[in-house]
Amino acid sequence: MPQRHEKKDITTSQLLSIIKKSNDFSEVTNTYHNQEEEPIFCHFLYHTMQKHDKAPTDVIVESGIERSYFYHVLSGQKTPGRNMVLRICLCLSATLTETNQLLRLARQGILYPKVKRDAAIIFAIEKKYSMQQANQLLIQEGELPLYKENRGGNKNP
């Protein structure tokens, strides 16, 4: 009979070992039995907004994200793309850990320091740049910006 593991008792390498040694995938799934479910993007976003004392209207105004779209994201009806997540995180002054967690939960790639664009974004996060400052850094470095500004100053994805 397969052995059950508590979440706190199992490391990634132990889980990998279980997967490699298992003859049937049900042995692997038993490892996950009774564990906490993975956080949901919208819940973690809401928690991060509370932690950084930001209301939805603050994020909407600062990020330039369309109001109804942001509320769909916050309610879990939509999952934003990578640039949208990054824009939100920069407006929240989220930490690198929070940013990568939100990217992961949105099923987007986490920031990778060996990629120049990601390195610039990491730099901006660590230096607490505003979203506009981070965007200017990307443009200055010849990288794709997080958004393009319209003549009226609106931010487009």
Side-chain angles (χ1 to χ4, degrees), residues 111-156:
L111 293 169
Y112 186 58
K114 287 189 174 185
V115 174
K116 184 181 175 189
R117 182 177 192 264
D118 286 3
I121 294 167
I122 292 169
F123 180 85
I125 290 168
E126 290 298 317
K127 301 300 180 196
K128 300 291 184 198
Y129 278 20
S130 68
M131 184 186 70
Q132 292 80 7
Q133 289 172 311
N135 208 48
Q136 283 303 313
L137 176 62
L138 290 170
I139 292 167
Q140 172 187 319
E141 292 301 318
E143 297 296 325
L144 286 175
L146 295 170
Y147 63 90
K148 294 177 185 169
E149 289 206 21
N150 288 341
R151 283 184 250 163
N154 294 334
K155 298 155 193 85
N156 286 330

Side-chain angles (χ1 to χ4, degrees), residues 18-45:
I18 291 168
I19 293 169
K20 286 180 177 180
K21 292 177 183 175
S22 296
N23 294 323
D24 189 275
F25 193 68
S26 65
E27 294 175 24
V28 176
T29 57
N30 285 335
T31 305
Y32 294 97
H33 187 69
N34 292 331
Q35 290 191 38
E36 282 184 36
E37 289 185 27
E38 181 177 46
I40 296 171
F41 176 84
C42 61
H43 296 162
F44 192 77
L45 172 58

Side-chain angles (χ1 to χ4, degrees), residues 32-127:
Y32 294 97
H33 187 69
N34 292 331
Q35 290 191 38
E36 282 184 36
E37 289 185 27
E38 181 177 46
I40 296 171
F41 176 84
C42 61
H43 296 162
F44 192 77
L45 172 58
Y46 186 75
H47 168 76
T48 306
M49 288 171 55
Q50 284 184 315
K51 181 179 173 187
H52 292 278
D53 198 29
K54 294 281 188 170
T57 52
D58 298 328
V59 179
I60 291 165
V61 169
E62 291 176 36
S63 68
I65 296 172
E66 209 277 327
R67 182 183 175 281
S68 62
Y69 178 80
F70 185 74
Y71 279 106
H72 282 130
V73 167
L74 202 53
S75 70
Q77 294 174 339
K78 293 189 185 270
T79 303
R82 195 167 196 260
N83 280 346
M84 285 291 188
V85 174
L86 292 169
R87 287 168 63 176
I88 292 166
C89 290
L90 285 161
C91 290
L92 293 175
S93 297
T95 65
L96 180 58
T97 301
E98 291 166 338
T99 300
N100 277 334
Q101 176 71 342
L102 283 164
L103 285 166
R104 190 178 65 74
L105 292 173
R107 306 273 188 252
Q108 303 296 328
I110 64 169
L111 293 169
Y112 186 58
K114 287 189 174 185
V115 174
K116 184 181 175 189
R117 182 177 192 264
D118 286 3
I121 294 167
I122 292 169
F123 180 85
I125 290 168
E126 290 298 317
K127 301 300 180 196

